Amino acid sequence: MDAPTLINVKTLHNTSQLLLRNLNRLKGERFLVVNYPPDNFVLALHQQWPAARMTAFNYDYAPHLYLQSVFGHANLPIDNIRFGAVYNAPAERYDVAILFLPKSRALIQMSLQMVAAALRPGAQVWLVGENNAGIRSSSTLLEQQMGAVRTVDAARHCLLLQAMAPDQPVAFVLDEWSTTYPIQIGQQTLTVASLPGVFSNGQLDEGTQLLLETLDEPPTGRILDFGCGAGVIGASMKQKWPANIVEMVDANALALEATRRTMVANHLPIDLIKPSNVFSDVQGAYTQIISNPPFHTGVKTDYRVVTDFLQKAAQHLAPGGSLRIVANSFLKYQPLIEAHVGNCRVVAENRSYRIYEGIHK
Ligand SMILES: C[S@@+](CC[C@H](N)C(=O)[O-])C[C@H]1O[C@@H](n2cnc3c(N)ncnc32)[C@H](O)[C@@H]1O
């Protein structure tokens, strides 16, 4: 094994920094780290306890890819760096779990139950999160799932909470967290399956609705539904025009699983559903890329993903292919599309949203 890599604390997220200064308290032989940010915290944990067995699980693809590359560079095994909608623990249970606070309440509850099912009775559970992401109110959720909660440390606008895994075994079944709801787009009816944390849980997003209502001409060929969420756009297109190949990508594993369930619920054939961080895993050229792209992730507004998406879209469009997106009216994407894709026009707009179409030169 290579010499331990020095961890630059300043490059760690606030939550990881808080954990780092409590590293010697996080003792165990088998660690489960869930929903970690894209930084070197898991590597620091490994360096602190090199003999411990460690599994790092994420719902999000970007931190997963990041950690794989960090471990790969340090010549460390990457088999236990997992990405998925659910982590099914092996029979031999973990004695420490570290959960980075997920974004939504339902996902916090689901993750706590999933973690509880992976732990031996009395195992340590650490929950870390930022104040403005709701860590204080999550203390109650932690207590409901595990038992008495202790606040261990507070710094960098974050809180570190600790509890113990329950004595009784906990079962975790993803199906119990899955919901379905009907949506109507013009004459078309679809059943949408969703899971905690997946975009627009429970109803059709108004922007997505406008985007789908403006699709009157059948597109032909290979279509990419980018940032598919629960699969609404791709499922709608496949149902209306089954001859097209509709590929669907998202960076979130719960979204991909919801998309798979939406396709099954509507008896639609699945051409391709796969993870991709922007275009990291997308190959070939499409006749159309269609999206309600993410313009914020987490608590703060963040345009990096959508900017990256618009800058690279042309590399994945066939000549004459189109990029069609919906955006809040206040987001000015037209110059970016003109610069990186080609001629751009506003196809439709209402009080809140605009539909842009860029044609690849
Ligand atoms: C506004 S939602 C749209 C969901 C769905 N298409 C709809 O219209 O209901 C944006 C989606 O982009 C996904 N996303 C965020 N960052 C991404 C990235 N870096 N690469 C791919 N997808 C991403 C999110 O997980 C989310 O599902």
Side-chain angles (χ1 to χ4, degrees):
M1 198 178 74
D2 283 357
T5 313
L6 287 175
I7 305 292
N8 180 351
V9 177
K10 286 196 190 130
T11 63
L12 296 182
H13 288 73
N14 286 345
T15 45
S16 297
Q17 290 190 33
L18 184 58
L19 282 167
L20 200 69
R21 65 185 222 171
N22 288 281
L23 214 49
N24 54 4
R25 296 183 187 199
L26 310 172
K27 275 194 203 127
E29 288 171 11
R30 289 175 60 82
F31 284 85
L32 175 61
V33 186
V34 176
N35 199 39
Y36 53 85
D39 66 21
N40 285 2
F41 167 73
V42 179
L43 183 64
L45 187 65
H46 167 79
Q47 288 174 353
Q48 175 82 3
W49 311 111
R53 307 254 304 270
M54 221 167 266
T55 302
F57 170 80
N58 223 304
Y59 307 111
D60 282 316
Y61 202 45
H64 168 79
L65 292 178
Y66 178 81
L67 196 61
Q68 278 194 329
S69 75
V70 167
F71 269 56
H73 278 115
N75 280 333
L76 293 167
I78 59 165
D79 308 356
N80 285 335
I81 301 175
R82 306 287 180 86
F83 166 78
V86 60
Y87 178 63
N88 291 311
E92 199 189 334
R93 299 287 146 126
Y94 294 86
D95 50 19
V96 182
I98 301 167
L99 174 62
F100 288 80
L101 191 71
K103 275 180 232 154
S104 74
R105 187 181 164 87
L107 189 55
I108 297 167
Q109 288 174 306
M110 188 189 104
S111 303
L112 285 170
Q113 195 183 96
M114 185 182 79
V115 163
L119 293 173
R120 66 161 175 71
Q124 291 176 45
V125 184
W126 300 86
L127 181 65
V128 66
E130 301 211 22
N131 296 336
N132 62 5
I135 183 70
R136 277 175 208 286
S137 53
S138 306
S139 177
T140 319
L141 302 180
L142 180 61
E143 188 166 343
Q144 279 163 4
Q145 183 64 60
M146 309 288 175
V149 173
R150 214 159 57 88
T151 300
V152 177
D153 200 2
R156 306 206 62 80
H157 316 289
C158 297
L159 218 57
L160 178 60
L161 308 175
Q162 196 216 353
M164 264 163 54
D167 291 337
Q168 300 305 320
V170 174
F172 179 80
V173 181
L174 187 63
D175 286 350
E176 290 173 5
W177 296 88
S178 180
T179 52
T180 57
Y181 56 94
I183 60 165
Q184 189 78 33
I185 312 139
Q187 301 298 309
Q188 192 182 21
T189 307
L190 275 176
T191 300
V192 179
S194 198
L195 284 164
V198 175
F199 176 77
S200 189
N201 195 350
Q203 59 186 3
L204 175 60
D205 175 71
E206 270 180 59
T208 304
Q209 179 163 12
L210 184 65
L211 177 65
L212 290 172
E213 283 170 358
T214 59
L215 283 181
D216 34 21
E217 263 180 55
T220 50
R222 196 170 166 227
I223 292 153
L224 180 68
D225 172 2
F226 173 83
C228 55
V232 176
I233 296 175
S236 163
M237 293 183 83
K238 191 73 188 173
Q239 193 185 55
K240 267 172 114 172
W241 301 297
N244 290 316
I245 295 169
V246 179
E247 301 187 359
M248 298 147 103
V249 296
D250 201 288
N252 182 275
L254 289 155
L256 295 168
E257 177 59 20
T259 292
R260 193 189 64 75
R261 288 170 185 238
T262 295
M263 297 302 275
V264 171
N266 296 285
H267 313 287
L268 296 169
I270 294 173
D271 295 324
L272 186 72
I273 300 173
K274 73 169 189 175
S276 186
N277 177 28
V278 193
F279 289 113
S280 68
D281 290 47
V282 169
Q283 276 111 30
Y286 294 87
T287 43
Q288 182 167 65
I289 299 177
I290 182 160
S291 185
N292 179 351
F295 70 88
H296 66 82
T297 49
V299 178
K300 294 179 209 119
T301 306
D302 188 342
Y303 300 98
R304 276 173 300 181
V305 171
V306 69
T307 307
D308 197 20
F309 165 66
L310 295 178
Q311 284 173 344
K312 292 180 182 154
Q315 295 165 23
H316 300 276
L317 280 172
S322 70
L323 169 76
R324 199 179 260 241
I325 64 163
V326 56
N328 286 65
S329 304
F330 64 87
L331 301 168
K332 306 279 178 250
Y333 292 154
Q334 196 151 2
L336 266 177
I337 299 175
E338 296 271 2
H340 299 284
V341 181
N343 273 347
C344 177
R345 67 183 180 114
V346 175
V347 178
E349 65 184 310
N350 62 21
R351 262 185 308 122
S352 318
Y353 297 97
R354 238 173 242 166
I355 310 296
Y356 294 107
E357 184 179 61
I359 303 291
H360 184 34
K361 293 164 244 189

